[in-house]
Each structure stands twice: as C-alpha cells, then as structure tokens.
Amino acid sequence: MATVKSISINSLSPKLLDMGLFPGKEIRVVFKAPFGDPIAVDVEGYILSLRKDEASLVEVA
Amino acid sequence: MKVALVGNPNSGKTSIFNHLTGLNQRVGNYPGITVDKKTGVFRYHDNPPITLIDLPGIYSLYPKSRDEEVVLQVLSSKEGEDYPDMVIVVVDASNLERNMLLFTQVYDLGLPTILVLNMVDVARKNGITINHEKIRELFHGTPVFQVIARTGEGMEAVKEEIVKPRAAKVVIPFLEGEFIDCQPATDETEVQKNYVEERYRKIRQYLGFAVKKETIPSSMAEKHRKADKILTHPVFGYLFFVAILFMIFQAIYAWAEWPMDLIDTIFLSLSQLAKESLPDGVFTRLLAEGIIPGLGGVLIFIPQIALLFTFIFILEETGYMSRVVFIMDRLMRPFGLNGKSVVPLISGVACAIPAVMATRTIDNWKERLITIMVTPLMSCSARLPVYTLLIALVIPDEYVGPFNLKGLALMGLYLIGLFASLLAALVFKWIVKSKQKSFLVMELPLYKMPRWNSLVITIWEKIRLFVFEAGKIIMAISIILWVLASYGPGDRMNTAVAKLDKPQTQEGYEAYEKQVASVRLANSYIGIIGKSIEPAIAPLGYNWQIGIALVTSFAAREVFVGSMATIYSVGEDFEENATLMVRMRNEKHPGTGLPVYTLATGISLMLFYAFAMQCMSTLAIVLRETKSWKWPAIQLLYMTTLAYLFAWLAFTLLK
C-alpha cells in the first residue's frame, strides 16, 4: 500500500488524473501482465491498468 | 426539447439511453469527424417527445481525444444544433469519487443538470451508502437519483424529472474560474492539473458528508484477483485466450454457414422468380441479375457480423476483454498497435468487415487507423475457397515428414496474412503522424454476467450500420460490375454467341448453355478489361481468363471460383465434380503449348489473393469508419502493389 504524492507533468498526466489518480489516493500493485508491463494497480477499490511509462509518472510516498 | 447524456465509459450511460429510448434510435454524424452521433426519442405519457443525445463516454471535459472534443463542443456551443436544454450526467455509484470529476465540470458549464447515480446495487455490495439528498443540497438543489439501469429500478423518477418544467437559475460554480464561458480557461497542462487536483480535493470533502463506507470482507475482491492471476498468467493466460478464440471461430464457422446458405438460396430463388414472372427486358435483367444478387451479397454478411459481435459483446460484458488487452498490449506495441487491436485483427480471420467495425474500442486514432489498414491482410474466410481450389490444383499430395504438403501450404498462407499485417502495421506506424500520445490507462472492471438486454440493440446497431451505410456503396458497385459483365460494346457478344454450333440433342443443350455464358463473359466489358490487362499480368504467369476472374473477384474473393467455372464452361462445384480442375489442368498457353496452371502460376495466384484488396465491401466499411476516401484508396493501392510484387516474385523464382 502506498499513497500518491504527486503526478509528474507530462502529456499523459491529465489522463492519469481523469482516471482518478491524484495526490492522497491509496494505491497498490495487484498483478502484472507477462513481461511485467503493463501493471494492474488497485486504486481504493477499482483496478487500473498502467503501462510502465505511465506508472512512472506517479510518485508515491 | 433536447437532452444530452454524459458519463464515463462503463458508467451504464448507454443502458440508461437504451432504457429511455428503446429501439427508437438513430446514428448520425458530427460534421467532419469520425465520431458517431447517437440520438433517440424519449416519450413519456402525453408529454411532447424529447430528443436524447447519447454523447460519447468520457472521463473529463478537457479535450484530449476526439470523443472529448465532441462532448465539449456540443455542451459549449450555444448556437450549435445539438446544444441541449438539459444534461443528464450518469455516474457509477460504486466509483463515485472519480466519476464526480466529470459531473462537477459539466455542472460548472451552467446548463440545467440532473445527476443519476447508477449501479447503486454494486455500491451497496461494496458497503457504500449514498445520501443523495445531501448531494442535492451540496449542489444547490440539483436533482439527484439513485438507479439500477440494468433492472430499471429508480428510472421512473428520472423520467418524471426529465419532463418537468424547469425555471432558469444562476449556478454557483463548484470551482471558480476553471471554465469561462463554457470553455476551459487554460490549455496549459500544469494549470489544468492543478484545477483537477483542486476539484478532486473538494469532491473528497463533499462526499465525506454524503457517503458512508463500511469496510466489507474482501473475500469477493480476493476471488476476482485470483481469477486475474490465472487469466493474466504468462502461460495459462495465453492458453486460455487461444482456447476462447478456438471456440469462437468454431462457433462462427458452424453457425454462420447455414444462415449464409439460406440467404444465398433465397436470393437465388428470388432472382429466378423475377426472371420467370416478369417480361424479359433490360429492367428484368437488371432486377434479377444486378439488384437482387447485389442485395443478397450485402445481406450475406449479416450472420458473421451478428455472431462475431455477439462474442465480442460477451467478452466485453464479462470483463474478460480488458484482460486480453492487458496481456496483449506489450506484444502489439512495437508494431504501432495496442492491446485493443488484437480482437479486430483476429476477427479478420473470419471477415474483415466486422473486424474493421470492431476497431471502435481503440481510442487512439492513429492506432485505430493502423488496425483498420492492416486487418484485411489477415486471411478471411472468403479466401478459403480460392486457396482450396488452387491448392488442390497445383500442390502435390505428398508428405514432408508427418506433414501433408497441401496442409502446410494452407497454413503458410494464413501465416503470411498474419506476418504481412504486422509488418504493414510497422510501416504505417512510421508514415501516419499523430499528436496524440499512445496510452493504456484503462479500468479493469470486475468480472460479471453479461446484461443480455442490451445485446439485441448492440447487434442491431452493427447490422444497420453495415447494411444501410456500407450497403449503398456495395450495391452501387455490384450493379456496375453486373453491367460490365452482361454487356459488351456493340454487337460483339451476340456475334460471338452466333458463331457457336447449335446443339442437336437434349444433352448437348446444357453444354451449349455453358459455352454461351463463357463466350458472353469473354466478350463483355469485363472480358475486354480482363484481356486488356493480360500484358500487365503476364509477368505473374496469368492469362486473360485469370484476368477476368481477378476483375470479377473485386465483388468478393470467392467469386473467383465461379468466374473460372463460367469462363471454362464447366460446373462450379470442384470438390464433388472435378470438371473445373480437369479443365484448368488441361489449359495450355496458346503460343507455347505449355500448361497454364503450373506450380509457379498457382503459388503466384495464391499470393496474389493473400495480399490483394479484392473486396468492395471491406473498402466500403473502411470508408464508413474513416469517413474519408483517402484511406480506402491507400489501402486498395498498397495491398494491390504488395499482391503484384509477391506474385511476380513467386512466379519468377518458381517458373
């Protein structure tokens, strides 16, 4: 379990925010696709799939 | 009066739209873009009918995709023809926080707004209780309803609210300054990001007053995660997917065949009936030989479209589809495709038409376009009769180790289709320019049973799209092809027929009729085109007879077999009656006396059919889906070029 600290600025960051990833959210990696990319992240009850480069924009504390 | 429906994808917005309008729906266009406009009519008791617009599912009003652009444009252009008098925002109650982002943005546009909390049953199961009166209060009297669209629970109150007269009122924005005059105040990512984060903070605070959440035992979630671990497993995940695909194709081949045969038979009899009951003449022939078969040629695709979309519907509704996308994404990305391209590509093995229609789920335009452009290279079922005939004709019945050569050849053709489409995708990735960045931030929904009530509407929509939109073009081309095949310049056809010896016996008459058909075709405009392209196709090993079949195959690939039979005046059923094969095997080049259908020519022809865009119906649907002549034209050009090159190469190397 980790808390989202910030979302880095990038052309993809609005997409992450739209999908409910914003500072303060509790997130957790639940499973991964073969080759480790994309990953599935539990965001307080629903599951988001994120490619590695998308996930790397999410800074957690 | 006009009412617009807005909501996240998966919020059940379309269920609500279907519930309110039933089959009373229409699909139109927004000018200049590829997004479909779905409208319907809502009637409630004696109230005047209301037009409902089902806007595309989006997550926020900031225009990042075409769908979002459309929604923002409709909701912000007060002079626009679609500008609604009221907006219904549908949100998924089990995921309220994220869904409320869009609601608060729409709310700030200042239009009269209703908030519909859908799937409250799922929310309850997750231990979420919502006080909708509190939300109503926090948003200054905005009507709020809790519904279950799937069962219709709570919808009556929504209907009553829609028809209720409303007084205009001043809206106090949820967040000051972000939307000015219905337009986002800034297009700078960083400022937008701060606004959105601010919104979420406030939403959290508001929902703190209105939503109670109990912690529930996580046993249900655990079950879903266990299923996920198996279905996304590096070995079992792919095995399961292959097994599902195998079942789907088995079912399509088993179930699509008899309705297709039925349509075929019905239209053949109709055509026969028209010929027999109407006076002979140009109009009767046009009807019996042009229009009726053309219509049959459109309708014959319906079984495959309906079946394929039924399976896609089940995959999507159960939640399995997003897992397929999840495990295939990494493999598809190097080719400029994304995980969502997998299902259209594989559907192409059955038929490119539903496959191209299935690309709509790909939200990135570039990736969708590439998928559309390369899908027709997958070996579709219409190529199978052509391959079967040619393999039987030129591939020896020998074994390489345990493998039959004929079987290997057929497998090779399917593999060529697969690799060709991936490589073509790679080239298009390079050529097609796009500002939109590829992403796969996507929700993996919980597994659930399909909501069967929307199946009929979904399938009907696909059939209507194909029959009424692509069907027009297909009809037009098939009538043109019929004219070209039935008429020739001047008296040429009749003169040629007159030269044939009249039969003396009853048995001779059948053979004579076949000869007449052959001579007529050879002297028609298509015959002349086939002959005149002979110099161009001679390097591929083809004669003018093949040239004619290539031209007629543009209607559909499998027409090749029938055209060959007509040209050589023999029966078409080459599997039961070998006359066509024997005739083709004995065919000699007039000058040299060498056989025409050698291994080299056969392989060259198979490769030609593997690559060539010999299907006007696919071109018509590509035109419909890209809304531009440019893409089907490029597709026709590049596939024909590939076909020519590979056929030439094969013939040159093997002869």
Side-chain angles (χ1 to χ4, degrees):
Chain A
M1 206 53 114
T3 310
V4 176
K5 212 171 114 198
S6 72
I7 308 284
S8 315
I9 296 283
N10 177 295
S11 57
L12 286 173
S13 35
K15 195 70 213 164
L16 295 175
L17 279 162
D18 286 357
M19 297 302 286
L21 280 171
F22 56 88
K25 276 265 177 172
E26 302 273 326
I27 60 169
R28 180 168 63 104
V29 177
V30 276
F31 56 92
K32 291 177 179 177
F35 316 107
D37 186 15
I39 58 170
V41 179
D42 183 325
V43 187
E44 295 182 7
Y46 62 94
I47 310 291
L48 274 190
S49 126
L50 296 175
R51 286 180 181 164
K52 267 186 168 171
D53 54 343
E54 291 155 359
S56 68
L57 298 176
V58 182
E59 198 189 329
V60 291
Chain B
M1 185 164 128
K2 279 192 220 91
V3 175
L5 273 165
V6 179
N8 284 14
N10 297 321
S11 61
K13 177 173 63 72
T14 303
S15 290
I16 289 184
F17 180 71
N18 290 344
H19 191 96
L20 293 174
T21 62
L23 275 174
N24 215 333
Q25 302 181 3
R26 233 168 52 86
V27 180
N29 297 324
Y30 294 104
I33 34 172
T34 53
V35 180
D36 273 335
K37 178 160 103 182
K38 249 169 77 183
T39 55
V41 178
F42 165 59
R43 287 193 173 82
Y44 190 64
H45 299 313
D46 295 333
N47 297 289
I50 290 172
T51 307
L52 277 185
I53 308 169
D54 187 16
L55 290 170
I58 56 166
Y59 291 101
S60 106
L61 273 187
Y62 282 119
K64 292 176 296 293
S65 70
R66 282 162 197 250
D67 285 357
E68 285 154 343
E69 271 166 38
V70 166
V71 176
L72 182 66
Q73 218 205 322
V74 168
L75 296 184
S76 63
S77 21
K78 293 193 170 119
E79 310 300 320
E81 59 164 322
D82 298 316
Y83 188 70
D85 301 284
M86 185 176 84
V87 184
I88 302 174
V89 182
V90 182
V91 302
D92 172 358
S94 66
N95 192 348
L96 206 50
E97 208 171 64
R98 191 190 75 203
N99 278 250
M100 286 297 275
L101 174 70
L102 181 64
F103 168 71
T104 65
Q105 289 177 334
V106 173
Y107 179 82
D108 284 356
L109 295 182
L111 281 151
T113 306
I114 297 181
L115 175 61
V116 174
L117 309 171
N118 189 19
M119 302 192 240
V120 285
D121 51 338
V122 183
R124 262 178 235 141
K125 232 192 253 168
N126 293 351
I128 299 167
T129 334
I130 302 165
N131 179 349
H132 65 274
E133 282 304 325
K134 192 80 202 167
I135 299 181
R136 182 186 191 122
E137 199 182 296
L138 289 166
F139 286 93
H140 311 283
T142 300
V144 183
F145 300 94
Q146 306 206 41
V147 309
I148 306 166
R150 198 162 30 89
T151 60
E153 200 183 307
M155 286 302 293
E156 211 53 34
V158 178
K159 290 179 185 172
E160 270 167 36
E161 183 64 43
I162 296 174
V163 296
K164 221 185 257 174
R166 251 166 311 274
K169 61 170 189 163
V170 179
V171 176
I172 305 149
F174 179 75
L175 197 70
E176 208 75 61
E178 189 182 1
F179 288 92
I180 298 166
D181 222 6
C182 296
Q183 288 291 340
T186 172
D187 50 9
E188 251 178 76
T189 312
E190 183 150 13
V191 188
Q192 284 181 0
K193 185 184 125 178
N194 292 339
Y195 274 128
V196 173
E197 288 185 359
E198 180 60 29
R199 250 174 219 280
Y200 272 127
R201 244 207 359 248
K202 225 171 148 188
I203 290 168
R204 229 176 209 200
Q205 199 186 343
Y206 273 39
L207 293 183
F209 297 115
V211 175
K212 268 218 302 276
K213 200 170 178 182
E214 291 163 47
T215 39
I216 45 148
S218 54
S219 61
M220 195 180 76
E222 277 313 305
K223 249 187 248 161
H224 286 270
R225 291 299 80 78
K226 257 193 200 131
D228 274 330
K229 289 234 162 83
I230 297 166
L231 295 178
T232 62
H233 188 273
V235 179
F236 303 118
Y238 293 118
L239 280 180
F240 186 78
F241 181 45
V242 170
I244 292 273
L245 285 178
F246 183 75
M247 270 160 46
I248 290 178
F249 283 114
Q250 282 293 313
I252 289 179
Y253 281 113
W255 297 339
E257 199 181 321
W258 71 263
M260 286 172 83
D261 286 345
L262 186 71
I263 293 170
D264 208 27
T265 317
I266 289 175
F267 278 86
L268 269 177
S269 340
L270 275 180
S271 156
Q272 205 64 39
L273 187 75
K275 258 191 221 166
E276 281 159 13
S277 53
L278 294 171
D280 190 34
V282 176
F283 176 72
T284 305
R285 280 207 298 274
L286 173 69
L287 187 70
E289 293 167 5
I291 294 174
I292 293 176
L295 200 60
V298 173
L299 299 186
I300 199 132
F301 287 107
I302 290 179
Q304 285 194 342
I305 292 175
L307 276 170
L308 202 63
F309 277 105
T310 303
F311 288 114
I312 290 179
F313 175 85
I314 296 171
L315 294 184
E316 262 170 7
E317 283 279 310
T318 51
Y320 179 59
M321 184 70 101
S322 53
R323 273 70 182 185
V324 171
V325 173
F326 186 72
I327 61 172
M328 297 305 287
D329 183 64
R330 186 68 194 85
L331 301 175
M332 304 308 285
R333 236 184 288 163
F335 300 102
L337 302 168
N338 103 18
K340 293 180 178 169
S341 311
V342 168
V343 166
L345 264 184
I346 293 172
S347 307
V349 175
C351 177
I353 290 158
V356 167
M357 291 162 79
T359 59
R360 290 214 177 167
T361 50
I362 307 173
D363 18 34
N364 181 297
W365 171 243
K366 178 176 173 175
E367 289 167 341
R368 178 165 172 222
L369 185 65
I370 297 179
T371 312
I372 291 176
M373 294 303 277
V374 305
T375 292
L377 283 169
M378 299 292 284
S379 269
C380 66
S381 56
R383 286 173 172 106
L384 201 54
V386 182
Y387 289 164
T388 316
L389 171 67
L390 292 171
I391 285 175
L393 195 63
V394 300
I395 306 286
D397 207 357
E398 282 167 19
Y399 282 83
V400 181
F403 303 107
N404 182 285
L405 262 185
K406 288 182 194 271
L408 282 180
L410 188 63
M411 196 181 75
L413 287 164
Y414 275 89
L415 287 178
I416 284 171
L418 175 65
F419 287 117
S421 49
L422 290 178
L423 291 177
L426 211 56
V427 176
F428 277 110
K429 175 190 173 186
W430 229 49
I431 296 171
V432 182
K433 294 276 169 275
S434 166
K435 280 178 290 178
Q436 237 180 62
K437 209 168 163 188
S438 164
F439 63 84
L440 196 85
V441 193
M442 148 189 99
E443 196 173 341
L444 298 172
L446 292 178
Y447 297 100
K448 58 176 194 290
M449 284 304 286
R451 288 164 295 186
W452 296 108
N453 45 359
S454 49
L455 175 66
V456 177
I457 292 177
T458 311
I459 302 297
W460 169 238
E461 213 179 279
K462 298 294 174 193
I463 292 175
R464 185 177 52 183
L465 177 87
F466 175 71
V467 173
F468 294 109
E469 310 234 1
K472 286 182 244 168
I473 300 166
I474 300 169
M475 276 298 283
I477 300 179
S478 49
I479 289 173
I480 293 172
L481 282 176
W482 170 76
V483 170
L484 293 178
S486 319
Y487 293 92
D491 229 10
R492 197 176 153 139
M493 279 167 107
N494 292 336
T495 324
V497 170
K499 277 190 198 142
L500 292 172
D501 295 328
K502 286 267 158 51
Q504 303 304 320
T505 60
Q506 192 59 38
E507 293 88 65
Y509 194 71
E510 249 178 60
Y512 171 72
E513 273 201 323
K514 283 184 179 139
Q515 277 176 357
V516 170
S518 166
V519 167
R520 285 178 63 91
L521 182 58
N523 288 286
S524 67
Y525 289 108
I526 276 197
I528 294 165
I529 297 173
K531 280 179 193 162
S532 59
I533 62 169
E534 198 178 15
I537 56 174
L540 315 182
Y542 309 161
N543 55 11
W544 62 265
Q545 285 93 338
I546 298 177
I548 293 176
L550 289 186
V551 180
T552 55
S553 298
F554 186 66
R557 295 178 173 93
E558 70 272 19
V559 169
F560 175 81
V561 178
S563 293
M564 278 296 168
T566 308
I567 293 164
Y568 290 126
S569 340
V570 289
E572 180 177 329
D573 200 339
F574 64 91
E575 276 165 283
E576 275 171 31
N577 181 340
T579 46
L580 176 59
M581 297 245 310
V582 172
R583 181 66 188 77
M584 284 173 80
R585 215 166 261 152
N586 293 334
E587 180 74 1
K588 303 269 188 319
H589 276 296
T592 55
L594 292 169
V596 173
Y597 297 94
T598 57
L599 183 68
T601 304
I603 301 245
S604 154
L605 250 182
M606 282 185 239
L607 286 174
F608 192 90
Y609 272 84
F611 288 105
M613 174 40 108
Q614 301 272 76
C615 180
M616 58 173 177
S617 309
T618 304
L619 288 174
I621 202 74
V622 171
L623 171 67
R624 173 62 184 73
E625 293 292 314
T626 61
K627 303 238 169 98
S628 143
W629 287 96
K630 180 176 153 195
W631 298 111
I634 292 178
Q635 197 169 40
L636 178 63
L637 195 74
Y638 100 84
M639 288 178 68
T640 312
T641 311
L642 277 184
Y644 193 90
L645 280 178
F646 279 95
W648 174 79
L649 206 65
F651 183 71
T652 314
L653 292 176
L654 290 170
K655 84 177 160 188

